[in-house]
Amino acid sequence: ETGVTQSPTHLIKTRGQQVTLRCSSQSGHNTVSWYQQALGQGPQFIFQYYREEENGRGNFPPRFSGLQFPNYSSELNVNALELDDSALYLCASSFLNRGNTGELFFGEGSRLTVL
Amino acid sequence: AQTVTQSQPEMSVQEAETVTLSCTYDTSENNYYLFWYKQPPSRQMILVIRQEAYKQQNATENRFSVNFQKAAKSFSLKISDSQLGDTAMYFCAFITNSGGSNYKLTFGKGTLLTVNP
């Protein structure tokens, strides 16, 4: 089975620009979550998508938005970039079903630098 | 609020020795799962070990074991026979199952473990 893949691996943007990050879920998974990992910190939950709908959101402003597609791939969009948005963005997929452990499988991340 | 505290920002151990990483957490939920994730320099987060909160028996995966103390909300990771490949950032995390609707992982800030030859 294929793992979680993310693109691009690195990118540089300037303040005020917009960015789209992409994620391909692991085969058989129906849920995708996005996390922001600032340098030297643990990942922070941005949001989760289940069956193409947002299924939970962390403490991030509306300029962080996402999409999940019928093939369970996903996008994270960030508008009006700020310097503090510089971070590693992790995508994680899982199979959401009542009673399972919710184990997440992570991609390698997209390193965003905002200048 | 749900929080995870890892009080050891950095640790080091000699190859073949044993090291214990500490973690405490706080949640009002009774049904949850605890995890230790490893993030090597290549960045991909991989699962090391997991523990169901309703199980009293401590989880073990080869050289990795946990000491789960539910009342104290403590979840430490013991690595035996440390290997150079164990060098990584280790994150403690938990996930709650509130009716099966939200699987948000809450992470600690991590412990950077260095295994020295």
Side-chain angles (χ1 to χ4, degrees):
Chain A
E1 61 185 17
T2 58
V4 179
T5 57
Q6 293 186 241
S7 63
T9 54
H10 295 82
L11 69 166
I12 299 173
K13 294 284 188 177
T14 57
R15 276 188 304 174
Q17 285 189 312
Q18 178 266 343
V19 68
T20 297
L21 308 178
R22 295 178 175 83
C23 172
S24 177
S25 300
Q26 183 163 315
S27 176
H29 287 178
N30 59 9
T31 303
V32 65
S33 303
W34 286 91
Y35 289 79
Q36 181 195 66
Q37 186 179 11
L39 195 63
Q41 301 295 316
Q44 297 291 315
F45 176 70
I46 302 175
F47 43 55
Q48 180 187 84
Y49 279 82
Y50 170 62
R51 292 184 177 178
E52 302 175 54
E53 292 190 359
E54 190 176 287
N55 187 43
R57 189 178 184 92
N59 189 25
F60 281 82
R63 60 188 185 84
F64 285 78
S65 63
L67 285 172
Q68 186 185 30
F69 300 102
N71 65 355
Y72 301 121
S73 64
S74 176
E75 287 183 355
L76 164 65
N77 299 289
V78 187
N79 295 322
L81 284 167
E82 300 176 0
L83 296 179
D84 285 348
D85 295 334
S86 295
L88 180 68
Y89 288 86
L90 297 171
C91 170
S93 72
S94 59
F95 181 73
L96 183 61
N97 191 19
R98 187 180 296 274
N100 75 353
T101 64
E103 180 181 344
L104 302 187
F105 295 82
F106 286 85
E108 291 196 5
S110 294
R111 171 74 66 189
L112 171 65
T113 301
V114 182
L115 302 177
Chain B
Q2 298 180 336
T3 59
V4 176
T5 302
Q6 293 180 249
S7 59
Q8 306 149 316
E10 295 186 37
M11 293 191 73
S12 63
V13 65
Q14 292 300 120
E15 197 174 5
E17 293 188 345
T18 296
V19 64
T20 298
L21 309 182
S22 65
C23 171
T24 58
Y25 61 94
D26 190 25
T27 179
S28 58
E29 299 284 342
N30 196 46
N31 184 18
Y32 53 90
Y33 304 90
L34 294 154
F35 305 89
W36 278 97
Y37 277 90
K38 170 185 176 181
Q39 190 176 40
S42 65
R43 301 180 308 180
Q44 188 165 24
M45 195 91 69
I46 55 177
L47 180 66
V48 174
I49 197 167
R50 71 165 164 245
Q51 173 82 41
E52 291 88 342
Y54 62 86
K55 289 187 177 179
Q56 292 186 343
Q57 185 173 6
N58 289 324
T60 299
E61 288 287 341
N62 301 315
R63 299 182 295 107
F64 299 89
S65 62
V66 299
N67 182 4
F68 174 47
Q69 302 290 329
K70 190 172 183 179
K73 295 183 178 175
S74 171
F75 183 61
S76 61
L77 173 70
K78 185 172 82 171
I79 306 174
S80 304
D81 187 24
S82 297
Q83 301 176 359
L84 296 178
D86 295 335
T87 293
M89 183 71 83
Y90 286 81
F91 291 99
C92 177
F94 75 90
I95 206 164
T96 60
N97 185 353
S98 302
S101 64
N102 190 340
Y103 282 82
K104 165 190 158 183
L105 260 179
T106 300
F107 286 88
K109 290 188 175 182
T111 296
L112 178 60
L113 176 67
T114 302
V115 180
N116 299 309

